[in-house]
Amino acid sequence: MSTQNHKALFEALWSDYLAITPDAEAIHEEFKALGDDVIINDHIALRTFNEGAINLDNIGKHLEQFGYEAAGDYHFEEKKLYAKHFQHTADNDAPKIFVSELLLEEFSAELQMFCRGLIAEANWNIKQQGLSLPSRPWGKITREAYERLLEESEYAAWLAAFGLRANHFTVSINRLKGMDNIERVNQFLKDKGFELNSSGGEIKGNEEVCLKQSSTMANIVDWEFNGGKHPVRSCFYEFAERFPMQNGELYQGFVAASADKIFESTNAA
């Protein structure tokens, strides 16, 4: 089966992400000053609902067109999420894609009804035009709807407002020239004035699980709601240091306990 150009997909996702994540470009410039002209992206993450044309299975089928296949799954009981990560079948340097979905049936009738309205709109639009990334396949929600969703699920509120776009890109620390571990990266970022996600500690994971992760807190941007602009957290930048497994190969998966805390990088201020 022929595949579409995954590099073009990531260029579109990156351009969209940069437009609402000013910290990312600023951090890139800081790394470039240390000699890292090319930053290798470890992975991105997408959020979605577990129903309709945009559920995880359908997004997975969409990613197959770009040469990706499922490589691991994860459960987040407290946040009521299920996730998979996808890896490219031919390009080892291609970023991994982490896709999570909200388990709607575990939430209130009010949240379910509102989100299923968005899903119905997405189903119609995708039937007419096909699924595309990045996109928000429904119209703008109101600030009031955002606040109501936020009371029950920050994830649902973010997804309803921003749609299907990368909520973060991730610097591969293993591929940096200027710094060789996450501790140095974190200190460097703090010295430059960037706010880190401290939920569960600034560093999530350890060498025993073969993965250490950290992230900035998502930028606060004036986002266009139905009724006007309001400041909300948009997207964040993550940093990952991977360690070898017993077979000597670098671990390529994710650690659910760490990812659970990374999700909180978009928590409302």
Side-chain angles (χ1 to χ4, degrees), residues 10-152:
F10 278 94
E11 286 172 4
L13 288 163
W14 175 248
S15 177
D16 175 78
Y17 166 81
L18 278 186
I20 55 174
T21 318
D23 275 0
E25 193 156 13
I27 289 170
H28 258 227
E29 292 303 314
E30 296 291 355
F31 283 142
K32 283 181 182 178
L34 296 178
D36 282 289
D37 293 329
V38 178
I39 307 293
I40 302 300
N41 179 31
D42 181 87
H43 71 273
I44 66 162
L46 305 169
R47 298 179 178 184
T48 193
F49 298 113
N50 69 332
E51 295 181 9
I54 59 168
N55 71 7
L56 195 158
D57 284 343
N58 283 322
I59 288 181
K61 291 174 184 175
H62 179 71
L63 295 177
E64 286 177 5
Q65 301 173 49
F66 298 91
Y68 278 84
E69 65 180 9
D73 64 336
Y74 312 88
H75 298 267
F76 302 90
E77 293 185 8
E78 184 179 342
K79 290 182 173 61
K80 303 171 184 176
L81 306 172
Y82 173 65
K84 289 183 180 180
H85 93 266
F86 299 81
Q87 291 181 197
H88 201 273
T89 57
D91 183 355
N92 291 332
D93 285 334
K96 291 167 281 293
I97 303 176
F98 188 93
V99 185
S100 55
E101 63 180 6
L102 193 72
L103 305 178
L104 284 175
E105 66 276 9
E106 298 189 17
F107 289 89
S108 70
E110 181 185 13
L111 183 145
Q112 290 184 49
M113 183 172 64
F114 181 84
C115 293
R116 285 181 176 133
L118 302 181
I119 293 166
E121 194 175 341
N123 289 344
W124 170 258
N125 288 331
I126 290 169
K127 185 177 181 181
Q128 304 302 312
Q129 303 167 15
L131 176 62
S132 64
L133 298 172
S135 69
R136 186 183 61 200
W138 51 78
K140 299 170 189 171
I141 65 169
T142 64
R143 173 70 178 189
E144 291 72 25
Y146 174 85
E147 295 288 357
R148 289 285 292 183
L149 291 171
L150 199 58
E151 292 173 8
E152 195 169 348

Side-chain angles (χ1 to χ4, degrees), residues 207-246:
E207 289 191 44
E208 290 183 3
V209 296
C210 298
L211 177 63
K212 290 182 179 181
Q213 297 165 269
S214 65
S215 63
T216 63
M217 288 299 293
N219 278 121
I220 296 175
V221 299
D222 285 330
W223 190 242
E224 188 73 54
F225 288 89
N226 183 0
K229 289 186 176 182
H230 296 277
V232 294
R233 287 203 185 271
S234 58
C235 306
F236 59 95
Y237 215 172
E238 187 182 325
F239 311 89
E241 183 180 2
R242 296 183 178 275
F243 297 88
M245 301 177 289
Q246 288 187 345

